Amino acid sequence: MQPIGVYYGGQEDEPSTKFTKGMFEEILLTEYANILHVDLHTGYGPRYQMSIFSSGKETMTQEEAQRAFDYPLVFTPDSDEFYVTNGDVPEYFAMLKDEIAPSKSLYSTTFEFGTIGDGLWASIDSVKRTVMENQLIQYGSDNDTTKKILDSRYREMFYPSERKWRDKAKEDFIQAMEGVMKFNKIID
């Protein structure tokens, strides 16, 4: 553990994490038997196409999930691009459900809005921006222009200012949400 390292998370849960864990527990203890949870992320994937990342427990194939959700880009454990994450929010929520409310139905997934793009150069650019932002946080800068540029580049990695990107993200979210809700019989 490197306290000045990139993505260092500390030695204990942050207040927001404690709040979220408590909220999940409260939700699981309600009268609702069918729960849908969508974890929203930005960063990874094609710039103008949101992706649905199924949990590692998903049994549908990529093609089956794309048909089920009526959505073009869904990653399931059988997808070439799928990567297993340990300790992510959907995994935690599913574990908690199994522990305190095993009779309930929970579908938890992640919507990932690509911001920079995919491919080698986009990955390198993402790492470069992240390292530069970490350097700025750890060591600061005497130059206000440098601070503004680095802050802007890092922010763009998670929330692009381009109107076209924002409009497409909104369209993708609505399409994916409708597909997931129909599949889970929450709407017709």
Side-chain angles (χ1 to χ4, degrees):
M1 299 275 235
Q2 295 293 326
I4 63 169
V6 174
Y7 299 130
Y8 175 72
Q11 296 293 326
E12 60 186 56
D13 287 345
E14 290 291 319
S16 60
T17 303
K18 291 176 185 173
F19 172 82
T20 302
K21 285 180 171 182
M23 183 179 63
F24 286 165
E25 189 169 330
E26 286 177 26
I27 290 167
L28 289 168
L29 295 175
T30 66
E31 71 277 8
Y32 299 108
N34 189 13
I35 301 164
L36 171 65
H37 168 257
V38 179
D39 193 21
L40 302 177
H41 286 247
T42 57
Y44 179 80
R47 181 163 173 86
Y48 298 106
Q49 182 62 60
M50 188 199 84
S51 309
I52 298 176
F53 275 87
S54 299
S55 79
K57 296 179 180 182
E58 180 61 69
T59 57
M60 286 188 283
T61 66
Q62 182 174 8
E63 286 183 8
E64 290 169 338
Q66 287 170 329
R67 279 193 308 275
F69 303 146
D70 191 26
Y71 195 77
L73 193 56
V74 181
F75 296 109
T76 61
D78 79 316
S79 307
D80 291 338
E81 296 87 355
F82 187 81
Y83 58 92
V84 175
T85 57
N86 293 310
D88 66 0
V89 174
E91 180 183 295
Y92 173 79
F93 203 0
M95 179 205 66
L96 186 63
K97 181 210 76 88
D98 290 346
E99 187 178 303
I100 67 171
S103 65
K104 298 211 175 188
S105 172
L106 169 68
Y107 187 81
S108 187
T109 192
T110 300
F111 288 3
E112 182 78 48
F113 299 84
T115 57
I116 294 178
D118 49 358
L120 178 62
W121 293 117
S123 295
I124 291 170
D125 187 26
S126 176
V127 169
K128 181 180 172 185
R129 291 180 194 207
T130 301
V131 169
M132 290 179 359
E133 187 267 350
N134 186 56
Q135 286 177 320
L136 183 63
I137 294 295
Q138 299 303 327
Y139 305 108
S141 173
D142 294 335
N143 187 314
D144 285 340
T145 302
T146 298
K147 286 181 193 176
K148 288 178 184 174
I149 290 170
L150 294 178
D151 283 342
S152 174
R153 285 181 183 164
Y154 193 67
R155 192 176 325 100
E156 285 289 317
M157 237 174 53
F158 298 100
Y159 190 51
S161 59
E162 180 189 23
R163 185 78 192 170
K164 176 182 172 186
W165 182 89
R166 292 179 181 197
D167 290 344
K168 180 66 164 80
K170 179 181 168 184
E171 290 170 18
D172 288 353
F173 174 82
I174 291 168
Q175 180 185 357
M177 199 67 200
E178 285 177 354
V180 168
M181 291 174 70
K182 285 178 182 176
F183 173 76
N184 284 282
K185 297 177 179 38
I186 294 171
I187 62 172
D188 293 326

